[in-house]
């Protein structure tokens, strides 16, 4: 079973990779931020499609994932919505450390 630390670490790495790609495209193309966000969303959709297609083999995949377009897209939309909601500044768990005491 995957630990919460592994998941958090993977999430942080994914965030760094996407932020780097986003900033690179923004800088090199001069496209508006929402256009670049749309391109990122389209790329994620394409990645989903490619991975889902590879999991639709007759023998199934050893990982056990069975793609379900409707449920998977709903889960992705919920994850996006959850991360775009403003977090109350009084939540110390999400505050970035400014210095050291």
């Amino acid at each position: 079973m995957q630990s919460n630390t592994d998941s958090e670490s993977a999430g942080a790495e994914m965030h760094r990779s996407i932020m780097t790609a986003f900033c690179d495209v923004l800088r090199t193309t001069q496209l508006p931020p929402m256009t670049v966000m749309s391109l990122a969303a389209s790329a994620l959709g394409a990645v989903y499609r490619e991975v889902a297609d590879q999991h639709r083999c007759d023998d199934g995949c050893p990982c056990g994932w069975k793609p379900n377009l409707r449920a998977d897209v709903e889960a992705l939309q919920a994850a996006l919505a959850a991360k775009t909601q403003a977090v109350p500044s009084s939540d110390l768990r999400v505050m970035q450390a400014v210095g050291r005491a």
Side-chain angles (χ1 to χ4, degrees):
M1 183 167 189
Q2 194 171 6
S3 75
N4 194 34
T5 304
D6 290 344
S7 182
E8 288 175 6
S9 178
E13 178 59 29
M14 186 66 69
H15 179 269
R16 280 189 295 276
S17 297
I18 292 170
M19 183 61 81
T20 298
F22 175 80
C23 290
D24 287 348
V25 171
L26 199 60
R27 182 177 31 78
T28 61
T29 65
Q30 302 292 309
L31 290 169
M34 277 310 298
T35 300
V36 179
M37 289 283 178
S38 292
L39 293 171
S42 294
L44 182 59
V47 168
Y48 171 86
R49 173 56 45 210
E50 290 175 31
V51 174
D53 287 348
Q54 292 300 311
H55 282 80
R56 294 188 195 282
C57 60
D58 293 334
D59 298 335
C61 180
C63 78
W65 180 49
K66 294 182 181 1
N68 178 330
L69 181 62
R70 177 178 280 167
D72 295 342
V73 169
E74 286 176 7
L76 293 171
Q77 288 173 330
L80 176 63
K83 285 297 184 180
T84 58
Q85 301 301 316
V87 177
S89 60
S90 62
D91 188 348
L92 297 177
R93 295 174 298 159
V94 295
M95 286 186 173
Q96 185 170 2
V98 177
R100 294 176 22 185

